Amino acid sequence: MGDLLKNSIFFSDQQICYADILPPSEVRLRIEVAILSFLKNLSSSTPSVSDLPLISRKRSNSRVSRGLLTENARIFLSDSFSMKSLMNENSANSLIRVWKVMEMCYQILGQEKKVTQRELFYKLLSVSPQYFTSQLQANRSIQDLVALLRCSRYSLGIMATSRGVVAGRLMLQEPNRDVIDCSVCGSSGHAISGDLNLLENLIMKSDARYIIVVEKHAVFQRLAEDRLFNQIPCILITAKGYPDIGTRFLLHRMSREFPQLPILALVDWNPAGLAILCTFKYGSVTMGLEAYRYACNVKWLGLRKDDINQLIPEESLIPLKPRDHQIAKSLETSEILQDTYKEELAAMIQSGCRAEIEALYFNGYDFLGKYIGKKIVQGSYI
Amino acid sequence: MARRHLCYNRFELLKQIRELTRSIVEDICGGRSPILRIDQFSSYCADVSGNCCCSYDLPIRKEILVLQRESQVRRLDLLLRVLLIVQQLLQENKHCSKRDIYYMYPSAFKEQSVVDRAINDICILLHCSRHNLNVVSVGNGLVMGWLRFSEAGRKFDCIGSPNKTYHIPVQVEDVEDIFSLANYILIVEKESVFQRLANDQFCRQNRAIVVTGRGYPDIPTRRFLNLLVGTLHLPVYCLVDCDPYGIDILVTYRFGSMQMAYDSKYLRLPEIRWLGAFPSDSENYQLPQQCLLNLTTEDKKKAEAVLCRCYMEREVPHWRSELQLLLDRGVKFEIEALSAQSITFLSEKYLPSKIERGVHL
C-alpha cells in the first residue's frame, strides 16, 4: 500500500486501476497537477527529476476478477507500475514523447476539439519530428498518457471511429430528440455513435427477449434484411469485426438496462471469432485501463463444434492460417477462458480447420434464421 | 451495340431465365450444343491511341460457350447452378450475397471467384445489374448534409441535423423522395476525414452533401451517388489523399472498376471534379517537410499502372500530369497532414476557399 501511495501522483488506493471518462476541464487539471508535481520535485531543496509512473500494461499486471454469485468475469489492470525515467537511456525518449502528447492534448482540449489518432500523429510530426517517426509510436505514447493520467483516450480528446450498428426491437432516444425505432432501420441498421457521452444519456426501451451479437457485417445485414427480429424478438448488434469502444459501451448499457436478456454471440468457428467473443465477454489487456468497464456476460451461441459436425460439409471447411494459430496460442494460455471454450478451441486446433457462418447456407438460403431459432429454443449456448 | 438494361422487374427476369433454359433444353434435345454468347467488357486497357472499345462502352470481345469443350462444359454447369439459386431468390424475393451462394454448393464451385464470374455472366446475358438478381453486398458508405430522402418507408432527414451521419442504404432502388438544399456534393475518400468534417460541423457552415465510400467505393455508394446526381444535378467534388491509391479511388468514381465493367455506365460519375489534394498543395499551403512521406515500391507500381490506362490520356490528361508529377517527386501526403497546424484548417479554409474559387481539375 505504501508503495502505491509513493508511486501514484493521484493517491488512488484502489486495487482496480481504471480510466475515468472525464470532461475536458478535469483532464486539463490532471495534466496541470502532473506538471506542477514534476516542477515541485525539480525545484525542491533536494532537486530530482521525477520518473513517470505508468500503470503496467503487461500481461503480468492483468488480473481476472470473478463474480462469486454470478458468472461474470472480467479482466482489469492492477496496481503494478512500470516507471519511465529520464535518467534511463532506454525510456528517456519515450518519456519525452509522453510529455509531448500531453502538451498537444492540453492544447486540443483547450480548443474544445477532438482529433483522430492520425491527425494527432501529424501534429506531433510537424512540431517534434525528432521524437515521432511512426503512427505506432504515437499510439503507444497515447496509451502511456492514458496510463499516467488514468483517464480514457476519449477524455483526452481523441475520437475513434465507431463501426457498430444495431437493429431490432429497440427504441433509442437522445434527450429532447425523436425516438428512433431500430426495427425499421433497414438492412444497414442504426449506426452507433462514437460519442460516449451521448451513448450514456440514451433512453432505451425494448420488448426483446434476446440480444444477439454478430461478428460480421454481412451476416448482420442478412439477418436485418430478413427481419429476424420479427420472428425471434431480439436486438441485433455488430461491431463489424473487432469490437470498438462505442459498440461495447452500448452493449454494456443494454446489459445493465435489460438484465434479464441473455446476450448470445454468433461468430465464425475460428480462433479470431472466439477472440472477438472473449473481448465482448471479458475485456482485453490491450484496451488497457478501459478494458474492465465494458465486459458483459455474453454466451456463445454458434458456430460450435457440434454444428460443424452436423451441419457443415467438409468442402466448406478452410484450413487454419498461421495467424489463427497465433491467436489460438494466446487464448490457450489465458487463465480467464472457461473450460467449455477451451474444449472448442482444442477442437479447432485439432481439426486444423475453420468455418464461416455463411457455410450454413449449404442447408438452404433461409437456413440461418432457422438455425438461430432452434439453438435458442434448445438453450444451446455456453 | 452498347450495353443497356432491358428490364428491372423480377418477373421479367424470371421469364428471361425460363426462356434461356428452354432454349438450352431444346438445343440439347435436338442433338445440338447450346451456344451462349457472352460479351466481355473492360473499363480500361493499355491502348493509348484513343480508339479502343473501352472508350465507347463496347464489349472488347465475345466469349462463346459451347458444350464441345470440356472447360466450357464446367463453366456452363456452374453458370446454370448459380442461375438456379438466382431463380429461387427471385421467386421468393429473398436476397443473398456472393459468399452465401458459394457456400450452397462448395464442392462444385471450389472457389469464390468462380461464383463471381458466373454472376457477371448472368448479368450480361440477362442485360441487368447484379442487384436485379437479388445478389447484394454489404453497404459501407456514409452520408450527411443537406439532404432528405426515404427508403422503404424509413425517412433519412439530414436537413434537420446536418451533422448527423447516416449509412447509405443498400437497396438503392428503394430510395425515393429525394430533396436537397445543398449547393454541391463532396465525396471524401476516408472515413476519418468524414469524421473530421462532422466534428467541425462543416455542414452547418456549408450547404453541402458529404459522402464517403470509406476507401474504394462499393456498389451501393456508387449507385446512390449516381441517383443523387441524376436527380439533383449538383456539381460533385472529390477529396482524396495525394497518393497513387487516392488517385485510383478518384478514377474509380469517375470511370468505374474493372470488376463491374459491364455495368459501369450506371456506376460512374463523369462529372466528378478533383478538388484535392494536389501535389502543388503541399507548397501552396506550407505543409511541413516531415509530413511528406516517401512513395513505397507498391505506391510506385500502382502509380505506373494507373498512368498506363487508356482513359487517363484520352479523357483526363490534366489528372494524368498531376499523377506523373507525384511519381516524379517521389513523395505523398495524406489529407490529415493539412490539419497539422490547425485542426479546423480543412473545413474552415481549405475546402470553402477551393470551392469558391473553383480550384479543381
Side-chain angles (χ1 to χ4, degrees), chain A residues 294-312:
Chain A
Y294 310 110
C296 321
N297 188 6
V298 182
K299 305 230 196 326
W300 192 351
L301 185 75
L303 291 170
R304 301 216 306 277
K305 61 175 164 22
D306 293 335
D307 304 325
I308 304 297
N309 294 334
Q310 291 159 15
L311 300 169
I312 294 181

Side-chain angles (χ1 to χ4, degrees), chain B residues 48-270:
Chain B
V48 293
S49 69
N51 290 322
C52 51
C53 298
C54 335
S55 41
Y56 302 104
D57 278 334
L58 291 173
I60 53 175
R61 61 172 180 275
K62 241 187 222 314
E63 287 204 326
I64 303 186
L65 296 187
V66 289
L67 281 179
Q68 276 90 354
R69 296 167 115 216
E70 174 104 26
S71 59
Q72 292 181 348
V73 167
R74 177 172 150 70
R75 196 165 146 192
L76 191 59
D77 171 45
L78 297 171
L79 192 150
L80 290 173
R81 270 184 207 267
V82 175
L83 197 60
L84 175 64
I85 296 170
V86 165
Q87 185 184 43
Q88 279 176 313
L89 293 176
L90 289 172
Q91 277 168 342
E92 309 210 5
N93 207 13
K94 290 242 184 289
H95 297 82
C96 260
S97 73
K98 294 188 300 183
R99 192 88 182 128
D100 301 341
I101 293 179
Y102 164 73
Y103 275 116
M104 292 185 202
Y105 295 111
S107 49
F109 293 131
K110 293 202 174 68
E111 269 185 342
Q112 182 65 51
S113 54
V114 161
V115 174
D116 297 352
R117 183 154 81 154
I119 293 173
N120 281 5
D121 288 344
I122 293 173
C123 288
I124 294 171
L125 280 173
L126 302 183
H127 298 279
C128 66
S129 294
R130 191 187 289 172
H131 65 275
N132 297 124
L133 302 178
N134 280 11
V135 178
V136 293
S137 51
V138 292
N140 243 347
L142 300 173
V143 63
M144 69 173 168
W146 294 82
L147 178 67
R148 189 170 67 212
F149 60 93
S150 64
E151 182 236 345
R154 187 185 165 213
K155 286 210 184 346
F156 291 70
D157 190 350
C158 312
I159 294 186
S161 41
N163 292 300
K164 186 142 169 48
T165 307
Y166 287 98
H167 284 204
I168 291 177
V170 177
Q171 321 269 56
V172 178
E173 57 272 18
D174 293 339
V175 172
E176 359 176 74
D177 298 336
I178 299 176
F179 174 73
S180 170
L181 292 171
N183 295 328
Y184 57 89
I185 299 173
L186 175 66
I187 302 175
V188 300
E189 170 192 351
K190 297 194 299 206
E191 184 177 7
S192 52
V193 178
F194 187 88
Q195 258 195 312
R196 163 57 44 226
L197 295 179
N199 192 252
D200 288 348
Q201 318 255 316
F202 178 77
C203 291
R204 211 171 277 283
Q205 260 50 291
N206 301 276
R207 294 281 184 97
I209 299 170
V210 185
V211 171
T212 179
R214 293 206 253 211
Y216 282 92
D218 57 21
I219 295 175
T221 307
R222 290 153 70 188
R223 288 177 57 214
F224 185 72
L225 280 166
N226 252 290
L227 182 62
L228 285 185
V229 171
T231 320
L232 302 170
H233 305 289
L234 292 173
V236 187
Y237 299 101
C238 190
L239 184 67
V240 294
D241 286 344
C242 185
D243 63 24
Y245 287 92
I247 297 178
D248 193 19
I249 287 175
L250 171 70
V251 299
T252 304
Y253 276 109
R254 170 86 168 79
F255 297 106
S257 61
M258 195 58 116
Q259 252 280 333
M260 299 297 293
Y262 62 89
D263 226 9
S264 57
K265 210 160 112 208
Y266 303 91
L267 295 175
R268 60 185 182 218
L269 294 168

